[in-house]
Amino acid sequence: MSQNFNKIFENNKLWIEKKLGEDADFFKKLASGQAPDYLYIGCSDSRVTAEELMGVGPGEIFVHRNIANLVNTLDMSSTAVIQYAVQHLKVKHIIVCGHYGCGGVKAAMTPQDYGLMNPWLRNIRDVYRLHQTELDAITDEHKRYNRLIELNVQEQCINVVKMAVVQERYILEQYPIVHGWVFDLETGKIIDLNIDFEKILKDIQKVYDLTNSDWVMSRKNNINLKD
């Protein structure tokens, strides 16, 4: 066990040498700040790492991960990440990425008491309840499981769009755009669920419109006058 742990530090040294060999100023640039275009909200599963599957390097993605890639508005961790990414980093895209074979979604489909995990899993069970007719019509259990993974991503995208900071920034800047993806562990492919962000925003604003503030409306009017 200690050998495996110490291997991490050996790998770190090799990584430093590799980066400095490619660019002598790599760490100076890395320490100077971050300006990522992407916020990635994914699952904590150890097999699904954002940078690796997207083929990008340090500083290019702002990342938040939790069990089953949930965006629960009562969870200060995810909401704080979104607030910071949109308001301060001014990311252009927010990606919610689930993955087939997700243990969190599988647990939520199982009628079992998971103790302290129950409140978290309830968010996924709520997704099942919202789409129960469609899901119950799928007789193949594996296909039903995969479909719930996709629908969970969709609902978490909607939860992102519900947030005032996202709505306000989009009205003022026409970004961020919210995307829903699923990563297929068996093929390595990213599957774009083609979430219709603008339609979702338009539909939910009938109930969740949080942009009618003096600050937002005055900024919007100023932008329209310039145009």
Side-chain angles (χ1 to χ4, degrees), residues 171-172 211-226:
I171 284 175
L172 297 173
T211 62
N212 192 25
S213 67
D214 292 339
W215 179 79
V216 173
M217 296 313 293
S218 64
R219 287 286 304 278
K220 184 181 180 184
N221 290 336
N222 286 337
I223 291 170
N224 290 336
L225 286 172
K226 291 177 183 178

Side-chain angles (χ1 to χ4, degrees), residues 90-108:
K90 297 184 177 7
V91 296
K92 305 300 189 298
H93 302 273
I94 299 175
I95 299 158
V96 179
C97 185
H99 67 95
Y100 295 132
C102 180
V105 174
K106 188 69 172 179

Side-chain angles (χ1 to χ4, degrees), residues 30-48:
L30 197 65
S32 66
Q34 60 173 332
D37 284 334
Y38 304 94
L39 166 60
Y40 174 96
I41 301 170
C43 183
S44 296
D45 193 299
S46 62
R47 301 167 294 177
V48 186

Side-chain angles (χ1 to χ4, degrees), residues 13-40:
K13 290 178 182 178
L14 293 173
W15 177 72
I16 292 170
E17 291 173 4
K18 180 174 181 290
K19 290 300 180 184
L20 290 176
E22 295 170 349
D23 181 357
D25 293 326
F26 177 81
F27 292 105
K28 289 181 181 178
K29 295 173 183 176
L30 197 65
S32 66
Q34 60 173 332
D37 284 334
Y38 304 94
L39 166 60
Y40 174 96

Side-chain angles (χ1 to χ4, degrees), residues 4-5 47 55 108 119 121 128-129 135 151 165 175 194:
N4 289 337
F5 185 79
R47 301 167 294 177
L121 296 176
Y128 198 117
R129 176 178 55 80
L135 289 165
L151 290 170
V165 68
Y175 64 79
N194 295 310

Side-chain angles (χ1 to χ4, degrees), residues 28-203:
K28 289 181 181 178
K29 295 173 183 176
L30 197 65
S32 66
Q34 60 173 332
D37 284 334
Y38 304 94
L39 166 60
Y40 174 96
I41 301 170
C43 183
S44 296
D45 193 299
S46 62
R47 301 167 294 177
V48 186
T49 56
E51 291 86 355
E52 190 167 4
L53 70 90
M54 292 174 67
V56 298
E60 296 186 63
I61 316 176
F62 198 58
V63 177
H64 176 77
R65 296 169 66 183
N66 61 44
I67 293 174
N69 44 272
L70 296 185
V71 179
N72 180 347
T73 53
L74 296 179
D75 170 32
M76 289 298 294
S77 179
S78 61
T79 54
V81 165
I82 294 169
Q83 181 87 20
Y84 184 79
V86 173
Q87 198 166 59
H88 298 283
L89 297 177
K90 297 184 177 7
V91 296
K92 305 300 189 298
H93 302 273
I94 299 175
I95 299 158
V96 179
C97 185
H99 67 95
Y100 295 132
C102 180
V105 174
K106 188 69 172 179
M109 292 180 69
T110 308
Q112 184 175 333
D113 182 359
Y114 286 96
L116 291 174
M117 284 290 296
N118 287 335
W120 192 258
L121 296 176
R122 191 174 299 130
N123 294 284
I124 308 169
R125 288 170 175 151
D126 285 343
V127 173
Y128 198 117
R129 176 178 55 80
L130 287 171
H131 300 275
Q132 186 170 0
T133 301
E134 176 188 348
L135 289 165
D136 285 351
I138 302 172
T139 55
D140 185 294
E141 185 177 356
H142 184 69
K143 290 181 179 178
R144 188 189 315 129
Y145 173 32
N146 283 348
R147 183 55 181 152
L148 180 55
I149 287 165
E150 296 168 352
L151 290 170
N152 182 53
V153 169
Q154 175 183 301
E155 291 299 326
Q156 305 318 311
C157 287
I158 292 172
N159 287 341
V160 173
V161 181
K162 288 176 184 176
M163 293 184 62
V165 68
V166 175
Q167 294 183 26
E168 291 171 357
R169 182 58 59 187
Y170 185 76
I171 284 175
L172 297 173
E173 309 286 355
Q174 295 300 290
Y175 64 79
I177 308 296
V178 179
H179 308 268
W181 295 354
V182 174
F183 178 60
D184 188 342
L185 289 165
E186 294 184 355
T187 65
K189 291 181 179 179
I190 298 172
I191 299 165
D192 190 346
L193 298 180
N194 295 310
I195 299 295
D196 192 335
F197 169 69
E198 290 190 353
K199 183 179 185 303
I200 292 173
L201 179 61
K202 183 179 179 181
D203 288 346

